[in-house]
Amino acid sequence: MPKKNKTWPLKTPSVAGVIVDGVKSGILKKALLGGADCLEVRVDTFAVREIEALKEGIGKLRKGAGVPLIITVRSGKEGGKHSIPDVRRAEIFKALMPFADIVDIELRSGGILEDVINYAKKNGKGVIVSYHNFKTTPGLDTLNALIKKARSSGADVVKIAAFVRGMEDIRRLASVLTGSDGLIVIAMGKYGASSRIFFPMLGSLLTYGSITDETAPGQLPLKSITGELRRYGFR
């Protein structure tokens, strides 16, 4: 588990309600009623991505939320809905930094990775450095190397999300999770849906639930996740 400090303001495990396609009326109420401990704002899914419009909408969300916000501008290469140039992604991250408690940026973000991480740290924000593979689960050596590289880049928490095709892949991800602290690990796909619930029980710091539409294969509704965690005494 990460050390308790302002860069990781979430309890362990936490459930993020994922906001997609804009800050719509009633979405915050639905997220909080569903038991969200925090909100992930997937800016890459927004149809309107002009800076001033984003600041206005997310600023209002920030004022009413009462829970931490994760700002994510997902790369198109790693599941982003819209393909946004890296330079533009960096501009959006920086513009929205005042509203964020945590930012999530992919390890494979090239030249903007260091810049965004340094800017976040300078402003006292937590940093998730993430890796997503929608085709397969890499081997154990590759996964450990990715985690090491993400930590070296300045991550407070490392997120690994990989597509699984069966029990062997799930066991590999579980092994990575139980072998190290400070991780978010998710098994994607129909065989990995249950990982959204039992990986937090094994130490994954954060799991993600859909409020409206799912943003990854196998993502479960927010209410289903919080209900199952409550059933087994993790809430």
Side-chain angles (χ1 to χ4, degrees):
M1 183 186 307
K3 294 179 181 178
K4 291 182 178 179
N5 58 41
K6 66 179 181 179
T7 62
W8 190 251
L10 305 179
K11 66 181 183 180
T12 303
S14 287
V15 184
V18 184
I19 293 179
V20 298
D21 297 327
V23 181
K24 299 176 182 177
S25 176
I27 195 70
L28 176 58
K29 181 178 180 180
K30 190 172 182 179
L32 297 180
L33 287 175
D37 301 302
C38 61
L39 301 172
E40 183 190 36
V41 184
R42 282 286 303 271
V43 178
D44 58 282
T45 69
F46 287 26
V48 178
R49 297 185 300 279
E50 285 75 16
I51 294 294
E52 291 307 313
L54 289 172
K55 288 169 70 173
E56 181 180 358
I58 295 172
K60 289 179 180 178
L61 183 68
R62 166 80 280 169
K63 286 181 181 179
V67 296
L69 294 191
I70 302 169
I71 299 296
T72 302
V73 192
R74 186 67 71 225
S75 163
K77 296 177 182 178
E78 296 200 27
K81 182 175 180 180
H82 298 285
S83 186
I84 307 169
D86 280 350
V87 172
R88 180 60 174 171
R89 290 174 60 224
E91 291 174 354
I92 293 172
F93 271 121
K94 290 180 179 181
L96 298 182
M97 202 69 71
F99 310 115
D101 296 280
I102 301 165
V103 297
D104 177 331
I105 184 168
E106 303 83 6
L107 178 62
R108 297 179 291 185
S109 287
I112 72 166
L113 178 65
E114 182 178 1
D115 185 30
V116 171
I117 290 176
N118 288 341
Y119 195 85
K121 298 278 188 179
K122 182 178 178 180
N123 286 276
K125 311 300 182 178
V127 176
I128 298 170
V129 175
S130 56
Y131 167 84
H132 306 80
N133 190 321
F134 290 86
K135 294 182 179 179
T136 189
T137 299
L140 191 58
D141 288 346
T142 299
L143 289 170
N144 285 326
L146 288 166
I147 292 167
K148 183 177 180 180
K149 187 175 181 180
R151 285 181 170 151
S152 296
S153 74
D156 295 304
V157 168
V158 180
K159 176 187 174 187
I160 299 289
F163 191 85
V164 298
R165 300 185 183 279
M167 189 58 68
E168 182 180 346
D169 290 339
I170 293 173
R171 282 199 297 263
R172 189 180 312 133
L173 290 174
S175 173
V176 167
L177 175 58
T178 57
S180 185
D181 293 331
L183 298 178
I184 299 166
V185 179
I186 296 168
M188 296 189 292
K190 66 178 182 179
Y191 294 111
S194 61
S195 75
R196 307 277 177 169
I197 296 164
F198 75 82
F199 274 13
M201 299 178 189
L202 295 178
S204 185
L205 300 179
L206 187 61
T207 189
Y208 301 78
S210 59
I211 304 171
T212 51
D213 299 325
E214 68 177 42
T215 55
Q219 188 176 86
L220 299 175
L222 172 66
K223 253 182 136 173
S224 297
I225 295 174
T226 55
E228 287 301 306
L229 290 176
R230 190 174 297 111
R231 178 199 298 267
Y232 295 107
F234 283 80
R235 290 183 73 78

